[in-house]
Amino acid sequence: MRTRLYSSLTGLAFAIASLTSSAAIAETSEPEWRHATSLIGEPKMSEGFLQFPYVNADAPKGGRVRMAWTGTFDSLNLVPNKGVTPVGLGLIYDTLTTPSDDEISTEYGLIADALKYPEDYSWVIFRLRSEARWQDGKQITAEDVAWSFDKLRELNPIYKNYYEHVTGYEILSPTEIKFSFDEPGNREAPQIMGQLAVLPKHWWTAKNKDGELRDVSRGTLEVPLGSGAYRISDVVPGRSISYERVKDYWAKNLNVNIGKNNFDLVTFEFYRDETVELEAFKADRFDWRTEATAKNWATAYDIPAVNRGDIVKEKFSQTFRGIGLMAGFILNTRKEKFQDRRVRRALNYALNFEEMNRTIFFDQYSRITSFFNGTKLASSGLPEGRELEILKSLKSPVPQEVFTEPYVNPISEDSRQERSNLRTAIGLLREAGYVQKQGKLVHEETGKPFTIEYLMNGGRFERVALRYKASLKKLGIDLQLRVVDSSQYVNRVRSRDFGMIYSSWVQTLSPGNEQRGYWGSESADDAISRNYAGIKEPAIDELIEIIVNAKDREELTAATKALDRILMWEQYVVPGWTSPFSRVARWDRFSHPDQLPEYAVGFPTIWWWDEEKAKKIEEAN
């Protein structure tokens, strides 16, 4: 960035002098301790605040909540990338910092009461609270933090990648630890370290009740020691897990925890079949269900409990206010047939979203038009201003349409538009070397039929896939549906053994390091990255680095829009659909603060058991 600011030798000499002077000042001025850190502006809550504004400080403690999850689990050790851990395991562990649900990318002290870092973000120091305790009463120390960091990075490739820019740490005292980073300017680095899950070194390095030394590198069903507001009280491997509230939780009176963790018991039941799960909810086997299927929302809840008001159906917008979502049919460009952008574009022209929305989605969705859909970071129109400058400054080529044509998805409101889209798709495929023979699309030179294996995690999406299959058949493409169970799906996705999957990426309003794992070239061959499409584009790599090292909000926004624009025009994904609401059905046994936080529903964390409501339901049944 300095080379763009100083183009002459005189200017460069002045810059060096300025940098030398700045370094001298930095050596003598120590950064101040901070109670919080934010990637967008200043933290909303000042030091010493009493509670978050979206909680009820007088919320009663007690009762229980029963949740459900699709899948299974076989380990209670979150460290190694082995086995499957249960949802809710984070309830037993505290982190150095904790987020606010009323702010974007803001973290407040939890285990750490303060942190400090220099203006160039080249390091961060956390100061731990002396009262922070494990559930056995022992103090949480900087040594626990260091050991947790070492083991997570050593034994789990996900964390190894996540912390790849950490060059090392230094334990300054039992309650202070310093992490250093490999490059200045990475504003996310201190926050990333604050999100570290801290584990008890003394417990993991001791012997279990059978006299055997515990091994943190292996999966286990032994109940681990935690530091959080809950502890595991009951486990049925693969089927259920219960967390009970810790009555003497060390941090229960901290300002970041007032009004939270109100239930005495939180239980998760695991289901492998979503139809069975839905029926279990209606039979009052669990309390809260987020409905992912539009048809179910429209037709499956016409039951007495809903009509009586025992079950409440409600849409919440909070969870979508601060995120950008891209979901769709992801094309594996490691496969030769998908390496041609014209082929990928043709597959988008073949998708008739409008017909599906009318006939099977009950008009509940809208088409996704951006990788940051629904946010101010989404690109639109033609690039201008700072965004245009960034695009023109890239050393690597970008699609020409980025500068000349706003990206739009094909629309099929009627049969005329559908036929037009299919003709466009056929033209693109012909340009890419494919021809139709006897109703099948084949490669003109090799004669090989065009087939796509669509890998599916269970059968819930099958009716959508069948509609897409019918549309592709009109082009002569054979979409082969391959339904597998969750474990097979995970293994095949990690080994990149698929042609197409339907998945998603969720974005924050402060994109940064995670973009490397989504579409950076280095992550394309990493089995545990979310670069499902296998993207390797130098222009995208350049933009990711500009985003990570953006000097201000204007540059971050402009670079993100430029990245979004290229991703859309490269057509790595046939965009899917979304709704700006979470559809929730719940048994009416709970209450919540009058004003929920801006960016989260907060269930069950800030909700509470309502004895009066629960009694009415019991009497009705």
Side-chain angles (χ1 to χ4, degrees), residues 430-463:
R430 187 178 296 117
E431 291 176 13
Y434 291 91
V435 296
Q436 288 181 319
K437 290 185 179 180
Q438 298 179 342
K440 293 185 177 182
L441 189 72
V442 300
H443 195 275
E444 190 171 22
E445 293 183 0
T446 66
K448 189 175 182 179
F450 196 117
T451 62
I452 303 173
E453 184 190 39
Y454 174 31
L455 186 67
M456 301 168 62
N457 184 7
R460 181 172 62 87
F461 222 61
E462 192 166 359
R463 64 196 183 104

Side-chain angles (χ1 to χ4, degrees), residues 3 67 124-125 134 152 158 254 260 270 410 467 474 541:
T3 57
M67 310 280 280
V124 62
I125 296 175
W134 298 106
L152 286 166
I158 295 175
L254 286 183
K260 293 183 177 181
F270 290 76
R467 296 297 182 102
K474 296 175 182 178
D541 292 333

Side-chain angles (χ1 to χ4, degrees), residues 210-261:
D210 297 323
E212 299 172 342
L213 193 64
R214 295 186 179 98
D215 185 353
V216 74
S217 70
R218 301 176 61 183
T220 180
L221 287 170
E222 181 185 8
V223 173
L225 176 70
S227 61
Y230 288 85
R231 61 166 59 94
I232 298 173
S233 61
D234 186 62
V235 179
V236 180
R239 296 185 60 181
S240 69
I241 185 168
S242 295
Y243 304 90
E244 66 176 1
R245 187 166 60 88
V246 177
K247 302 296 175 60
D248 59 349
Y249 171 42
W250 73 270
K252 65 180 179 181
N253 294 322
L254 286 183
N255 50 9
V256 294
N257 282 330
I258 295 296
K260 293 183 177 181
N261 308 313

Side-chain angles (χ1 to χ4, degrees), residues 87 113 155 191 358 392 433 454 572:
V87 63
D113 71 342
L155 300 173
Q191 275 208 7
R358 287 192 304 269
K392 287 184 175 180
Y454 174 31
Y572 298 112

Side-chain angles (χ1 to χ4, degrees), residues 59 165 226 239 332 489 582:
H165 297 290
R239 296 185 60 181
N332 186 357
Y489 181 82
S582 293

Side-chain angles (χ1 to χ4, degrees), residues 35-36 45-55 57 98-99 108-110 112-113 129 131 250-260:
H35 74 290
M45 309 303 294
S46 60
E47 187 171 4
F49 69 97
L50 298 180
Q51 65 183 66
F52 286 127
Y54 53 81
V55 303
T98 188
Y108 293 86
L110 182 52
D113 71 342
R129 300 179 193 270
E131 68 269 27
W250 73 270
K252 65 180 179 181
N253 294 322
L254 286 183
N255 50 9
V256 294
N257 282 330
I258 295 296
K260 293 183 177 181

